Amino acid sequence: MTNSYDKDEMLALLDWFQAMGVDAAVGEMPHDWLARGDEAPGAGFSWPEREKAAPTARPVAPPQSARPGVSRSAPGLDPGRPRAATPLGASEAETGARRIARAVTSLEGLEAALQAFDGCGLKSTATKLCFYRGAPQADVMFIGEAPGRDEDLAGKPFVGRAGQLLDKMLAAIGLSEADVHITNIVYWRPPGNRTPTPQEALSCRPFLERQIELVAPKMLVAVGGAAAKEVLGAAEGIMRLRGKWREVQVGERKIPAIATLHPAYLLRTPAAKQLAWMDLLQIKSKL
Ligand code: URA
């Protein structure tokens, strides 16, 4: 950017940025993303050698299909059921991520592995990794959609307005941050707060599955439609999915899981709070 723009042009440019979903400045100088040509985000990344990456880990999931572009991973977190074809890049990213995630034996290790992981394109536009908030081990694990602007700046999930409402929802059933583990289906903010693509969710999923194994919750709560689809492996909308217990297979465990409405939706649609309250009561009674 040069200073040949006058004030009106700069204001018009800022308006355009805002319309395109840019709502935070993350650096002193702009990145020219077009300068890297057709190279995909993370293209320069190479997976650690197998011996280095996975010395002793026990498998989280059954072996993946060798067919290019087709993942044998299930919809949702059950790795045993077939899922729709995904582009080869995403499938490769998932396989590499699974190898790395399996080798990790602690949440600290998982965070370090995520910091080093370049297989999810969201990382290249995000400011910070958003790993989790709350207790390292908890009976209830809340899984949301994706970090937003506040989370991207803080490096923690659900710290903005929606997160504050989530905290109030938890308090309503006697839970605090110290009682729960809160994360998302992707660990980096999608530009402009768009919904993560299936490929982005797929590349993060091995880490999420490992995170669930390490946290060892008694139940999972998917927060909002995108998380519900990913966690429960379902195609229906959130209004159909919410409020019903299911079981999801994660590694060797079957874990009860329920979906509820996203607090960001509740902020826009206060009348839906009564539905969310019914879901919260289900969670409370299961505890
Ligand atoms: N919405 C989410 O789904 N996750 C967050 O971390 C913040 C807002």
Side-chain angles (χ1 to χ4, degrees):
M1 193 156 322
T2 70
N3 46 16
S4 61
Y5 291 93
D6 66 23
K7 185 177 156 217
D8 288 341
E9 285 170 330
M10 287 300 287
L11 287 173
L13 188 59
L14 283 175
D15 277 349
W16 184 77
F17 279 153
Q18 199 174 25
M20 293 296 107
V22 178
D23 53 14
V26 295
E28 291 290 313
M29 298 298 293
H31 283 274
D32 184 359
W33 294 110
L34 298 178
R36 72 176 176 209
D38 291 337
E39 195 177 285
F45 178 74
S46 60
W47 301 107
E49 286 159 37
R50 187 175 292 271
E51 316 72 77
K52 280 194 232 150
T56 54
R58 114 190 120 73
V60 174
Q64 302 294 299
S65 163
R67 275 174 60 205
V70 178
S71 165
R72 289 278 302 144
S73 282
L77 295 167
D78 174 354
R81 291 156 46 204
R83 69 179 277 124
T86 54
L88 181 59
S91 186
E92 278 174 339
E94 187 205 11
T95 308
R98 196 166 291 287
R99 186 149 39 90
I100 294 173
R102 270 181 205 161
V104 165
T105 55
S106 68
L107 285 176
E108 292 75 21
L110 196 59
E111 182 168 14
L114 278 165
Q115 292 284 13
F117 178 66
D118 276 343
C120 175
L122 294 175
K123 187 179 182 182
S124 62
T125 49
T127 314
K128 284 191 182 152
L129 166 74
C130 285
F131 186 32
Y132 78 91
R133 167 165 93 79
Q137 261 82 48
D139 286 350
V140 198
M141 182 162 171
F142 286 81
I143 306 174
E145 175 177 326
R149 187 188 60 165
D150 295 324
E151 290 74 22
D152 182 56
L153 295 175
K156 278 186 188 294
F158 281 103
V159 293
R161 278 186 72 218
Q164 285 157 22
L165 179 54
L166 180 63
D167 286 349
K168 286 186 188 153
M169 292 160 69
L170 295 179
I173 51 168
L175 296 174
S176 74
E177 188 188 64
D179 303 311
V180 298
H181 186 97
I182 304 173
T183 192
N184 285 302
I185 58 168
V186 296
Y187 297 97
W188 294 274
R189 181 197 184 191
N193 293 347
R194 64 166 169 75
T195 303
T197 64
Q199 288 78 12
E200 287 157 356
L202 187 64
S203 64
C204 291
R205 187 160 63 195
F207 295 102
L208 179 59
E209 289 179 14
R210 193 74 183 120
Q211 187 173 355
I212 295 170
E213 290 185 311
L214 292 167
V215 174
K218 290 193 182 136
M219 68 194 79
L220 300 174
V221 182
V223 182
K229 282 183 184 151
E230 183 67 20
V231 172
L232 304 175
E236 298 100 303
I238 183 66
M239 286 303 176
R240 278 182 184 273
L241 291 176
R242 57 152 285 277
K244 297 181 199 99
W245 287 104
R246 291 152 199 252
E247 278 196 329
V248 296
Q249 179 88 34
V250 182
E252 286 158 14
R253 279 186 67 208
K254 277 196 164 69
I255 308 179
I258 194 166
T260 189
L261 301 174
H262 198 288
Y265 173 73
L266 299 177
L267 286 169
R268 295 192 301 271
T269 321
K273 283 184 184 169
Q274 55 181 300
L275 296 177
W277 177 237
M278 284 156 64
D279 304 340
L280 288 169
L281 290 178
Q282 295 241 36
I283 296 163
K284 188 177 177 190
S285 63
K286 193 105 172 161
L287 278 168

